[in-house]
């Protein structure tokens, strides 16, 4: 059975720093302020050939506010689905009352499910005289404890050796998965995390009325309709004027990086707000990266007037022109309206993205169209396109047209070519790249 190891503790003790060290890269955001990680974050790793799932959880907090309750729920979910738990304590602050409360929760879980709990006393690189802390550590009720530094890696080998019964080898990150990646993007509080929970039919990500609840990019494996993929929940993209807040800016960078590493993006719009400048900005980022696009107009159960829905759809089509050949669905995470339909469309687009168009067949279709619609310049010169080649490179569909004078081809003709390619080769939702070269 593959191990599932959760990293737990109260806020700002170094859980995400340990997670990043074990993952081999900065998957979780780390920051000096507390409460940065809120959802559960997963990473597939292995130690001496033993594969395991590493889970970073939000810091345990005590409070009755909605977000605090949700974070605690994620904390408890992480413990429940784990075979082993790494309980991180900050040696600089010492053992606090909240650590004893976490210990009580872990002991109850330990008695019920026979989990193993390993205490990681962190930040020893900043505090050298730590040996006297041993008696206090034993009061937590667990015998396996390790002094380490999540920042420098000191002591982490010993911790992993104990977890995996003294099997020694450096931790390596697994090779990038071949599963298609579907990223959910949009402004804050449009329903990205709710859509993840709806598809999975469980509370995978925190859902709260407060905007900006998700800060990290959350990845989960989804397997339905004979199609296995990775769903990525992202932080809401912020306005430029707010980028000075570095924590929000890091979330923005993670989101744009998630877009560039994905195969397709669901751009989610809040029907109450409509398609505004911020949504156009996100759309352009997706298009610039040549990723498949599906637009979901969410929370449609709040609007009963169908004419309002159609007017919003037409407004979106005008703002994204000339790339209007993409699916737009009215969805509701509450009623699940069009959720499955949109996901099946996503499967179709991803499969189409990976299909290479035969060059001879492409020319057979396009050359008669080009011959019938020649380019005649005002000075009497004529431009000919004699040959064209479809190229599939790194998931991007490119179309290369060879001409006697490519620099003089107007933009309107390029748009004409794109329209013809789309109408003849079914590339709905797929941005394409058209280039002209001298023959």
């Amino acid at each position: 059975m593959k191990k599932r190891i959760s990293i737990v503790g109260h806020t700002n003790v170094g859980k995400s720093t340990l997670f990043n060290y074990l993952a081999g890269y900065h998957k979780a955001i780390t920051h000096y302020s507390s409460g940065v990680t809120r959802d559960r974050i997963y990473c597939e790793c292995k130690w001496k050939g033993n594969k395991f799932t590493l889970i970073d959880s939000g810091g345990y907090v005590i409070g009755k506010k909605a977000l605090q309750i949700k974070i605690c729920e994620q904390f408890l979910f992480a413990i429940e689905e784990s075979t082993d738990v790494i309980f991180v304590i900050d040696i600089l602050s010492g053992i606090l009352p909240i650590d004893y409360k976490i210990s009580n929760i872990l002991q109850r879980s330990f008695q019920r499910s026979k989990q193993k709990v390993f205490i990681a006393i962190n930040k020893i690189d900043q505090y050298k005289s730590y040996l006297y802390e041993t008696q206090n550590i034993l009061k937590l009720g667990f015998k396996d404890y390790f002094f380490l530094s999540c920042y420098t890696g000191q002591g982490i080998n010993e911790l992993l050796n104990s977890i995996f019964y003294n099997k020694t080898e450096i931790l390596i990150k697994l090779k990038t998965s071949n599963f298609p990646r579907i990223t959910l993007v949009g402004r804050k509080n449009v329903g990205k995390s709710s859509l993840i929970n709806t598809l999975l039919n469980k509370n995978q990500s925190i859902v709260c009325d407060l905007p900006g609840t998700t800060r990290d990019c959350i990845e989960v494996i989804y397997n339905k309709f004979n199609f296995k993929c990775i769903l990525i929940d992202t932080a809401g993209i912020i306005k430029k004027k707010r980028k000075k807040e570095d924590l929000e800016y890091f979330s923005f960078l993670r989101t744009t990086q998630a877009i560039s590493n994905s195969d397709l993006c669901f751009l989610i719009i809040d029907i109450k707000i409509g398609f505004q400048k911020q949504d156009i900005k996100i759309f352009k980022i997706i298009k610039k990266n040549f990723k498949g696009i599906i637009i979901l107009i969410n929370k449609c159960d709040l609007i009963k007037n169908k004419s309002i829905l159609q007017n919003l759809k037409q407004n979106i089509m005008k703002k994204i022109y000339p790339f209007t050949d993409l699916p737009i669905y009215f969805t509701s995470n509450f009623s699940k309206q069009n959720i499955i339909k949109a996901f099946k469309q996503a499967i179709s687009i991803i499969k189409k993205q990976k299909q290479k168009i035969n060059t001879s067949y492409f020319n057979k279709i396009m050359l008669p169209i080009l011959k019938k619609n020649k380019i005649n310049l005002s000075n009497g010169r004529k431009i000919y396109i004699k040959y064209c080649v479809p190229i599939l490179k790194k998931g991007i569909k490119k179309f290369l047209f060879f001409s006697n004078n490519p620099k003089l081809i107007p933009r309107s003709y390029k748009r004409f070519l794109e329209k013809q390619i789309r109408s003849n080769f079914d590339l709905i939702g797929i941005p394409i790249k058209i280039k002209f070269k001298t023959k």
Side-chain angles (χ1 to χ4, degrees):
M1 179 181 175
K2 187 171 75 170
K3 286 182 177 291
R4 297 173 69 88
I5 303 173
S6 288
I7 304 173
V8 304
H10 65 78
T11 58
N12 210 29
V13 293
K15 297 183 301 300
S16 294
T17 304
L18 176 60
F19 180 89
N20 288 338
Y21 186 91
L22 297 177
Y25 65 109
H26 284 188
K27 184 178 177 71
I29 296 174
T30 57
H31 197 264
Y32 58 83
S33 61
S34 62
V36 174
T37 302
R38 293 169 177 177
D39 296 283
R40 307 195 303 283
I41 306 172
Y42 296 75
C43 183
E44 298 298 319
C45 305
K46 67 179 179 181
W47 174 270
K48 190 61 177 180
N50 294 287
K51 296 180 180 179
F52 67 97
T53 302
L54 190 65
I55 308 168
D56 186 16
S57 66
Y60 185 80
V61 292
I62 299 174
K64 296 183 178 180
K65 292 183 179 179
L67 183 57
Q68 292 172 327
I69 293 171
K70 293 287 184 179
I71 291 172
C72 288
E73 286 178 359
Q74 294 295 309
F75 170 87
L76 295 172
F77 287 147
I79 294 173
E80 287 177 5
E81 64 182 349
S82 303
T83 57
D84 301 271
V85 175
I86 300 175
F87 178 16
V88 183
I89 294 171
D90 186 345
I91 197 170
L92 300 180
S93 61
I95 299 176
L96 303 175
I98 194 171
D99 291 315
Y100 288 105
K101 188 170 182 62
I102 295 170
S103 175
N104 290 335
I105 295 171
L106 292 173
Q107 284 180 15
R108 289 197 297 270
S109 177
F110 176 80
Q111 292 171 357
R112 185 173 62 253
S113 61
K114 303 299 181 182
Q115 293 169 326
K116 290 187 177 180
V117 178
F118 301 86
I119 299 178
I121 301 95
N122 188 29
K123 305 182 184 179
I124 64 170
D125 55 312
Q126 304 174 49
Y127 184 82
K128 300 301 181 183
S129 301
Y130 50 81
L131 296 179
Y132 79 94
E133 294 281 348
T134 302
Q135 294 302 318
N136 289 331
I137 293 165
L138 292 174
K139 290 179 181 178
L140 293 172
F142 301 103
K143 64 178 182 179
D144 296 311
Y145 61 90
F146 301 85
F147 293 97
L148 52 83
S149 168
C150 299
Y151 181 74
T152 65
Q154 181 181 351
I156 292 179
N157 283 353
E158 290 76 8
L159 170 63
L160 290 173
N161 286 343
S162 181
I163 293 174
F164 290 98
Y165 306 101
N166 296 319
K167 293 184 178 181
T168 57
E169 190 165 294
I170 60 169
L171 184 78
I172 62 173
K173 185 180 69 171
L174 291 176
K175 291 181 179 179
T176 304
S177 173
N178 292 323
F179 297 156
R181 300 172 69 84
I182 299 176
T183 302
L184 280 61
V185 294
R187 287 175 298 173
K188 295 183 176 182
N189 212 31
V190 295
K192 300 184 293 295
S193 297
S194 294
L195 179 57
I196 291 278
N197 292 342
T198 300
L199 287 169
L200 296 175
N201 198 27
K202 66 175 183 177
N203 292 330
Q204 177 65 43
S205 298
I206 295 176
V207 177
C208 187
D209 291 335
L210 295 173
T213 302
T214 302
R215 285 177 173 170
D216 285 290
C217 293
I218 315 300
E219 300 182 8
V220 292
I221 295 175
Y222 185 65
N223 187 7
K224 281 287 180 72
F225 315 110
N226 294 319
F227 184 80
K228 206 168 188 178
C229 67
I230 297 175
L231 298 175
I232 302 113
D233 185 12
T234 64
I237 289 185
I238 60 174
K239 295 180 181 179
K240 282 186 178 180
K241 66 181 182 180
R242 293 195 62 194
K243 284 187 181 180
K244 290 181 180 179
E245 300 176 23
D246 56 349
L247 184 56
E248 296 290 340
Y249 184 52
F250 291 146
S251 296
F252 166 78
L253 292 178
R254 293 287 169 82
T255 299
T256 54
Q257 185 181 30
I259 291 172
S260 67
N261 292 333
S262 64
D263 294 280
L264 177 138
C265 294
F266 281 123
L267 173 54
I268 305 177
I269 312 298
D270 190 329
I271 199 168
K272 296 180 292 183
I273 301 173
F275 196 72
Q276 303 298 331
K277 289 182 179 180
Q278 201 66 10
D279 304 298
I280 297 172
K281 175 186 174 181
I282 301 171
F283 177 83
K284 288 181 177 178
I285 292 173
I286 302 170
K287 185 182 176 185
K288 185 179 178 181
N289 283 277
F290 295 96
K291 305 302 177 182
I293 309 176
I294 296 178
I295 294 179
L296 305 182
I297 306 173
N298 197 29
K299 307 178 185 179
C300 68
D301 52 304
L302 302 177
I303 306 293
K304 302 300 180 183
N305 192 329
K306 291 186 178 181
S307 63
I308 295 176
L309 301 179
Q310 291 306 314
N311 288 338
L312 177 56
K313 187 174 181 177
Q314 291 175 8
N315 181 47
I316 293 174
M317 298 291 274
K318 287 179 182 178
K319 290 181 178 179
I320 64 174
Y321 181 85
F323 180 33
T324 57
D325 184 26
L326 77 172
I328 299 177
Y329 292 97
F330 293 100
T331 60
S332 168
N333 293 323
F334 178 74
S335 65
K336 300 184 180 181
Q337 179 180 339
N338 287 330
I339 298 293
I340 300 303
K341 189 175 182 180
F343 185 77
K344 287 183 177 180
Q345 179 72 72
I347 296 174
S348 175
I349 291 174
I350 290 172
K351 288 180 177 179
K352 201 76 177 179
Q353 278 177 308
K354 297 180 178 180
Q355 292 176 1
K356 189 175 181 180
I357 300 173
N358 182 271
T359 301
S360 59
Y361 177 69
F362 186 73
N363 279 273
K364 183 180 178 181
I365 300 295
M366 292 302 297
L367 288 180
I369 296 172
L370 296 171
K371 188 176 181 180
K372 187 178 179 181
N373 298 273
K374 295 180 180 179
I375 306 170
N376 297 314
L377 301 178
S378 57
N379 58 9
R381 293 181 66 180
K382 291 186 178 181
I383 297 177
Y384 302 97
I385 297 176
K386 298 182 179 180
Y387 193 67
C388 38
V389 179
I391 302 169
L392 181 62
K393 188 176 181 181
K394 294 181 179 179
I396 301 175
K397 287 193 178 292
K398 300 179 182 179
F399 298 91
L400 190 59
F401 292 85
F402 292 91
S403 169
N404 61 326
N405 203 331
K407 292 183 179 179
L408 296 180
I409 296 175
R411 286 186 179 181
S412 58
Y413 197 76
K414 183 178 179 180
R415 288 197 293 268
F416 165 75
L417 285 178
E418 181 167 346
K419 187 176 180 181
Q420 293 300 318
I421 292 170
R422 291 188 175 283
S423 61
N424 284 281
F425 295 95
D426 184 25
L427 299 177
I428 182 171
I430 304 174
I432 64 175
K433 193 173 187 177
I434 295 175
K435 278 196 169 186
F436 301 97
K437 195 174 182 179
T438 303
K439 177 65 177 176

